[in-house]
Amino acid sequence: AHGRTTEEVAELIGADWLVYQDLEDLKEAVGGGKVKIDAFDCAVFDGQYVTGDVNEQYLDRIEQARNDAAKSTVERVSAIIDAISSIALGGAIASALLLVLFQLSVVVLRYTYGISFTWLNELVIYAFAAMFMLGAAATLRDDGHVRVDILRPRFGADGRNWIELAGIYFFLFPICIRLLTTGEQGLARAWSLFEGSSESDGLPFLYLFKTLVPAFAVLMLAQGVSEALKAALRLTGKLE
């Protein structure tokens, strides 16, 4: 009905005749009869509550409480994702320590005793991959990835947050989703066969190694959600 005349509204709804009843007529129509009614709560129409204690300040407090509750929920979700990334980071640190141990063993055995084991060389590769794949999400959380920032530093805080959101939605999410969708069949086949190394003396769990790719994508997707939530809270002034 907004912006239209009574005749236009009547034609739009297919009515022969249209009349609007004002609020006072409505009160009079429903307030008659044997039962005496002193007042109606017509706050939905005029914003006046019969309790007398509902005003703009009261409504503002309710809105603020709802905003705080929503903020608290968002922060909890972000904190849970950050905690999962921390657990994955622990795995990455353990992989880094194992990487040093495995690589040292390879060097000592090769140059001291002149022997080499395929399975040991593969352990070096597996440990390096796990270190990178499991630690990437926590690195994103801590803003530790290398940035090639040319224009971003010139923007204010809001501009940088918008750029952060754009990068997450237009680059991070699509790439991670692509990783998940393109490797699904190969991973399922690897697990169904319990695929091992192509070398006779290699490791028998190549399928676990291949699982690191979707694990990396899932961790990065989750951390991307967390970073997007933080950026949104900063844009609304609810997070420093």
Side-chain angles (χ1 to χ4, degrees):
H2 178 69
R4 292 186 173 92
T5 64
T6 303
E7 291 76 14
E8 289 172 338
V9 175
E11 182 179 357
L12 184 65
I13 64 176
D16 296 329
W17 183 56
L18 178 65
V19 61
Y20 292 104
Q21 185 178 41
D22 61 34
L23 188 56
E24 293 304 321
D25 286 343
L26 176 62
K27 292 179 182 178
E28 184 178 349
V30 299
K34 297 181 180 180
V35 180
K36 178 63 176 177
I37 301 176
D38 296 327
F40 292 96
D41 191 335
C42 301
V44 67
F45 299 111
D46 58 11
Q48 302 298 319
Y49 292 84
V50 294
T51 57
D53 58 352
V54 179
N55 50 33
E56 289 296 329
Q57 291 76 19
Y58 176 83
L59 296 175
D60 289 341
R61 287 197 302 272
I62 292 178
E63 182 179 5
Q64 185 62 43
R66 290 175 176 173
N67 290 338
D68 290 343
K71 174 187 173 183
S72 178
T73 300
V74 170
E75 289 180 336
R76 282 198 299 270
V77 171
S78 181
I80 291 172
I81 294 174
D82 290 351
I84 294 173
S85 295
S86 293
I87 295 173
L89 179 61
I93 294 172
S95 299
L97 296 175
L98 291 173
L99 172 62
V100 174
L101 176 63
F102 296 151
Q103 187 63 66
L104 179 62
S105 301
V106 168
V107 172
V108 171
L109 289 173
R110 179 175 298 174
Y111 292 99
T112 303
Y113 301 101
I115 56 177
S116 177
F117 299 101
T118 301
W119 61 267
L120 189 56
N121 291 323
E122 289 182 350
L123 280 175
V124 172
I125 298 173
Y126 286 21
F128 178 79
M131 177 184 68
F132 173 79
M133 299 278 190
L134 298 178
T139 307
L140 175 63
R141 178 198 64 194
D142 299 336
D143 197 21
H145 287 289
V146 176
R147 290 181 180 268
V148 184
D149 287 335
I150 299 175
L151 299 177
R152 183 174 177 269
R154 302 181 183 181
F155 292 92
D158 286 351
R160 289 193 293 271
N161 285 320
W162 279 114
I163 292 174
E164 194 77 10
L165 283 172
I168 290 171
Y169 281 103
F170 294 117
F171 294 98
L172 177 63
F173 285 169
I175 290 173
C176 291
I177 293 172
R178 181 68 173 171
L179 285 174
L180 288 172
T181 55
T182 55
E184 180 183 359
Q185 292 183 349
L187 181 63
R189 181 178 179 277
W191 272 89
S192 65
L193 299 175
F194 292 109
E195 184 179 3
S197 173
S198 58
E199 302 293 335
S200 59
D201 60 340
L203 295 172
F205 42 79
L206 180 62
Y207 61 96
L208 293 178
F209 178 66
K210 290 185 175 181
T211 306
L212 285 173
V213 176
F216 162 80
V218 170
L219 287 170
M220 290 296 286
L221 276 173
Q223 193 59 49
V225 170
S226 177
E227 297 308 306
L229 291 175
K230 294 173 189 174
L233 287 176
R234 288 193 294 267
L235 282 170
T236 55
K238 296 176 183 177
L239 184 67
E240 297 295 332

